[in-house]
Amino acid sequence: MITSTHTSTHTSSPTPIYEELVEEHGDILAEAREAAERSQQTASQALDWSDLRRRP
């Protein structure tokens, strides 16, 4: 198997294909991470029953 480290793109990024996709479509992975974090925070708040323990 022959592998080449030379690419024909003008970018010096180690992942030129990913960089091109981000330019074309936006950073979908970052958006998904942010949405997952917001969902996790919302779920944590919804499932936080610590206030019930404080009330007499």
Side-chain angles (χ1 to χ4, degrees):
M1 182 168 117
I2 299 173
T3 58
S4 173
T5 57
H6 177 70
T7 60
S8 60
T9 60
H10 297 287
T11 180
S12 62
S13 170
T15 56
I17 294 172
Y18 180 75
E19 296 298 323
E20 289 177 21
L21 289 171
V22 168
E23 286 179 22
E24 291 176 16
H25 303 285
D27 195 347
I28 302 301
L29 293 177
E31 291 176 25
R33 273 188 226 104
E34 291 170 4
E37 288 173 2
R38 285 191 306 269
S39 296
Q40 189 174 28
Q41 289 173 350
T42 301
S44 292
Q45 290 171 353
L47 298 173
D48 181 11
W49 295 10
S50 61
D51 286 342
L52 294 177
R53 292 186 206 128
R54 293 183 201 148
R55 295 181 185 164

